[in-house]
Amino acid sequence: MFEGLKVLLVEDDPTVRAGSEQALQLAGLEVQSFHSAELAYKLLAPNFPGIVVTDVRLPGMSGLELLQAVKALDAHMPVILVTGHGDITMAVQAMRNGAYDFIEKPYSSEQLVDVILRALETRRLTLEVHNLRRRLEDGDGIESRLLGNSAAMRDIRRLILDVANEPADVLIYGDTGTGKEMVARCLHEYSHRRKHHFVAVNCGAIPESIFESEVFGHEQGAFTGAAKRQVGKIEHADHGTFFLDEIESLPLSLQVKLLRVLQERYIERLGSNTAVPLDVRVVAAAKLDLEELSGQQKFRSDLYYRLNLIVLHLPPLRERREDIPMLFEHFALAAAARYNRAAPLVSSAQMQALMAHAWPGNVRELRNIADRFVLGIAGGESGLLAARAAAPSSLAEQVNGFERALIEQELRNYAGNVTEASLVLGLPKQTLYHKMQKYNLVAEEFR
């Protein structure tokens, strides 16, 4: 009924707390109960997906103080007060201060559930309006970060905005240079965690011998040279986002320790037995299929399944060639501003060369070529744009070049299987063979 929404119940009387929790569970609601307001407040954040039900008279922080704290955090979060006999005047004043409703003890299960259902419906509508407004506001912003009008990029941007505020960890697949870290940063910056740190770690760049100290931190004297306490990178990302790039390169011995952190959401620094709780979202990126690696015993299957909750697949540039002109123009203009140079014009022959290129380095390679083009050193190893002043190709030449590039791409995707390539291209197999002969393409060269 209210999937994804929680009820945080605060009641110091264990009998009342247990009875109320049971009544809500029988009504099909997700509930977490606490004996103190301080514990419940630790779980709250702006746009928290749920409501608060709290007794007024509590040890430590009172229910009224919790109400004030919640309203300061999120003015639209419903807070229901549970009052004792004789507290009606105070409860009415609390409602004027922002409480959603109040229930007087003793109350029936039906009365409790009824008030909570109305509050959850209010919360659901508030969050839907907020999410719609956020997506409308952020839509233009994310399009300037993740460029491209291809269907694949539109899907990626929409999915990022859909899951940005979800607490679940994210796994990003993509070839080298496709922009996995940029996607991770967008997940962070379009979420409620954006006010906290985004911390990136390349699992293949930190030696195994110091990885645990760098990521989890250490205490003074934990090992030779540990002159003072060091907060680890994942602790530095508390309340923010922790990005693990090239996670497939993480040694198995460290995968065990990472899995424990992901499951328990706390760390122990080297040289300490004290658990440090964490509220962090983990985003991992990989070039290789982790499921396949786990089947080969090269990656822990339990860690794979822990990460495999929300999965984003970034397409290589060769599969979204229609984005190349926009991307190249963007990178060239940025390079011209950075190097204080005029942005040269791209001829049709040069754009044809860009469209036909295989792009093994993906967007990163395209950006480098744009930089070199602006600096006037476009020849280099690739020679893609060496002929800056070359005569423009005819329309027929450009069409042939693009057609050849598409055929090469599908032959490469299907390892030279002409039957599969012809189905994807929508061509009869005989027609594809004729075109391959025309462009001097041999299927065996793609196997």
Side-chain angles (χ1 to χ4, degrees), residues 137-189:
E137 291 173 350
D138 292 345
D140 292 340
I142 197 172
E143 286 180 358
S144 67
R145 300 292 303 278
L146 293 175
L147 298 175
N149 291 323
S150 61
M153 290 309 296
R154 291 198 300 269
D155 288 344
I156 288 291
R157 289 194 295 262
R158 186 184 67 251
L159 189 54
I160 288 173
L161 294 179
D162 283 344
V163 305
N165 272 323
E166 296 295 331
D169 298 329
V170 178
L171 178 59
I172 304 172
Y173 281 115
D175 294 345
T176 297
T178 50
K180 297 186 290 295
E181 183 168 345
M182 176 61 74
V183 168
R185 288 186 180 277
C186 285
L187 283 166
H188 174 77
E189 290 170 10

Side-chain angles (χ1 to χ4, degrees), residues 291-361:
E291 184 177 18
E292 183 177 329
L293 291 178
S294 66
Q296 300 170 1
Q297 307 298 312
K298 295 179 180 178
F299 195 87
R300 290 186 63 94
S301 59
D302 47 6
L303 179 56
Y304 163 69
Y305 288 116
R306 185 65 184 79
L307 291 170
N308 193 47
L309 299 174
I310 299 174
V311 181
L312 301 178
H313 292 272
L314 296 188
L317 188 56
R318 64 180 179 273
E319 293 181 5
R320 55 180 187 110
R321 293 180 185 273
E322 61 266 44
D323 291 337
I324 290 174
M326 174 192 290
L327 288 168
F328 187 80
E329 180 183 9
H330 171 78
F331 292 141
L333 290 173
R338 190 165 58 252
Y339 301 125
N340 197 24
R341 300 257 187 137
L345 296 176
V346 182
S347 70
S348 58
Q350 290 168 332
M351 185 55 69
Q352 176 187 340
L354 292 173
M355 296 292 287
H357 187 54
W359 298 110

Side-chain angles (χ1 to χ4, degrees), residues 422-436:
S422 66
L423 290 173
V424 173
L425 291 168
L427 292 173
K429 187 160 61 171
Q430 194 61 37
T431 302
L432 180 55
Y433 272 121
H434 284 315
K435 290 184 179 294
M436 289 170 62

